[in-house]
Amino acid sequence: MKKIKLLLILFIGFNFALQAQSKKATNSLLWEISGNGLKKPSYLFGTHHLVNAKFADTMKVLQEKLKSVDAVVGEIVMDSTVQTKLGPFLIMKNNTLDSLLTKAEYKEVEQYFQSKQPNFELKQLNNFKPAMVSIMVALFDDPDLQKGLSNGIDDSFQQYAKKNDKSVLGLETAEYQGALLFDNDLQKQKKALLKSLREIAKSKQKMEELKRYYLAQDMDKLTTFFKAFDEENKEFMTELLKNRNKRWLDQLPVLMQKQSLFIAVGAGHLVGDEGLIKGLQTLGFTVTPTATN
């Protein structure tokens, strides 16, 4: 189950020692949503899908707000059915890696895995889509990614809700996320796989940079980070962030009118001109940064 959760989130990409928060008022991952006819405030929290729940456990105010709400909302409901729903999106139906890749490319990919695990044979992954193999590359290159999922921050909020008789709601389905991450053109996936092998150091540096900004709750730097990433990957990021934000902004006002929510979604969805914070403000809500401690 933990690896399946990684499949859903690793492309979005985002445990080091905790860093001190900036004193700047807007530098918080936690935002209160009020006004516009709401009887009780709801809360929006930006997550990093690969950060351990211990990060949130240190936040006294966040824990109080989580306790006060009626329901927890995530990108999807993370339950025992996710693996079954996601599985079909990972497999190539009428193709194989040794057919999709040239002999030289196949050898390049296999040699990478063998540099980490000498007895590895790429034929073990022959039916998986290149996007899935890209995830395996990330796992082999940085085992700490798996550690971040042993008690992931997103899942921890939903587990808390279940243990405390609160509702758990998803803004989209596992099938939607599976299609988003794994149903694009196989040639594009192949290109991305080879690029990930050839730029491992750069990708790792970016991941560390993102985590550093996140743990510092530096919203300005997170905004700049995602803006730059958007400019490099416009088509994918439009669907990954912007279009999903629009769909969520259609749902959240109705849900918040019914009950108070703790909304936990990737931090990249909060920031920018088309992020949830500005989107909710445009809809007439008061969205206020709230110190987590």
Side-chain angles (χ1 to χ4, degrees):
M1 183 63 188
K2 297 297 182 184
K3 288 186 178 179
I4 289 298
K5 291 172 187 174
L6 178 58
L7 302 181
L8 289 171
I9 59 177
L10 196 57
F11 281 178
I12 311 172
F14 314 170
N15 256 319
F16 298 137
L18 302 184
Q19 300 180 26
Q21 292 186 36
S22 168
K23 293 182 179 180
K24 186 175 178 180
T26 55
N27 268 4
S28 179
L29 296 166
L30 180 65
W31 294 69
E32 181 181 273
I33 308 167
S34 60
N36 208 15
L38 295 184
K39 296 178 181 178
K40 290 176 60 178
S42 288
Y43 298 91
L44 176 64
F45 181 75
T47 68
H48 182 316
H49 300 308
L50 300 179
V51 163
N52 194 279
K54 291 179 180 179
F55 178 57
D57 291 343
T58 68
M59 301 175 180
K60 182 180 178 181
V61 174
L62 179 145
Q63 296 300 323
E64 291 173 354
K65 302 305 184 185
L66 178 61
K67 185 177 180 179
S68 73
V69 301
D70 301 314
V72 168
V73 176
E75 296 180 18
I76 64 169
V77 175
M78 303 172 81
D79 59 22
S80 59
T81 68
V82 171
Q83 183 168 353
T84 300
K85 293 174 180 177
L86 182 64
F89 294 96
L90 311 181
I91 304 298
M92 288 187 284
K93 296 179 180 179
N94 300 306
N95 212 331
T96 56
L97 283 177
D98 57 7
S99 297
L100 186 64
L101 301 172
T102 66
K103 289 184 177 180
E105 291 167 344
Y106 189 90
K107 184 177 181 180
E108 180 182 358
V109 175
E110 186 167 60
Q111 285 180 337
Y112 166 79
F113 283 108
Q114 289 175 345
S115 71
K116 304 293 181 179
Q117 186 174 312
N119 295 325
F120 185 91
E121 294 183 354
L122 189 56
K123 65 182 180 182
Q124 299 175 59
L125 306 179
N126 207 30
N127 293 110
F128 283 110
K129 292 180 179 177
M132 171 62 180
V133 181
S134 293
I135 290 173
M136 296 299 295
V137 168
L139 286 171
F140 269 67
D141 191 65
D142 188 358
D144 284 343
L145 291 179
Q146 296 185 56
K147 295 179 183 178
L149 290 173
S150 62
N151 184 24
I153 193 169
D154 294 80
D155 192 32
S156 71
F157 296 133
Q158 296 192 18
Q159 292 301 321
Y160 173 87
K162 293 172 185 176
K163 291 176 182 177
N164 291 275
D165 297 320
K166 298 179 186 291
S167 301
V168 177
L169 308 171
L171 293 169
E172 57 198 21
T173 65
E175 291 92 340
Y176 173 83
Q177 286 201 353
L180 172 66
L181 299 177
F182 298 102
D183 261 5
N184 58 322
D185 182 80
L186 290 177
Q187 288 296 326
K188 290 183 179 179
Q189 291 188 30
K190 166 185 166 178
K191 183 178 179 180
L193 168 60
L194 295 173
K195 183 178 180 180
S196 71
L197 287 175
R198 296 162 185 171
E199 298 183 2
I200 285 178
K202 180 181 177 181
S203 297
K204 193 170 183 177
Q205 180 183 355
K206 285 292 184 182
M207 290 285 283
E208 291 174 352
E209 181 182 347
L210 175 58
K211 186 174 284 189
R212 185 168 64 252
Y213 297 155
Y214 178 81
L215 294 177
Q217 302 199 51
D218 193 325
M219 299 299 282
D220 289 337
K221 287 186 177 179
L222 285 173
T223 300
T224 301
F225 182 95
F226 281 103
K227 183 178 180 180
F229 195 77
D230 180 31
E231 291 173 354
E232 294 175 6
N233 306 271
K234 279 191 177 296
E235 182 180 351
F236 182 61
M237 291 299 286
T238 294
E239 183 57 38
L240 187 68
L241 292 180
K242 297 175 184 177
N243 290 350
R244 292 168 78 203
N245 287 348
K246 291 177 183 177
R247 297 186 188 100
W248 297 353
L249 287 167
D250 287 336
Q251 300 176 57
L252 288 173
V254 177
L255 294 174
M256 290 189 294
Q257 292 292 344
K258 295 179 180 178
Q259 55 189 336
S260 58
L261 308 176
F262 185 90
I263 307 157
V265 297
H269 291 283
L270 272 61
V271 300
D273 292 337
E274 298 178 80
L276 294 180
I277 293 172
K278 287 194 176 180
L280 288 166
Q281 291 171 337
T282 299
L283 292 174
F285 295 97
T286 300
V287 187
T288 310
T290 303
T292 52
N293 275 311

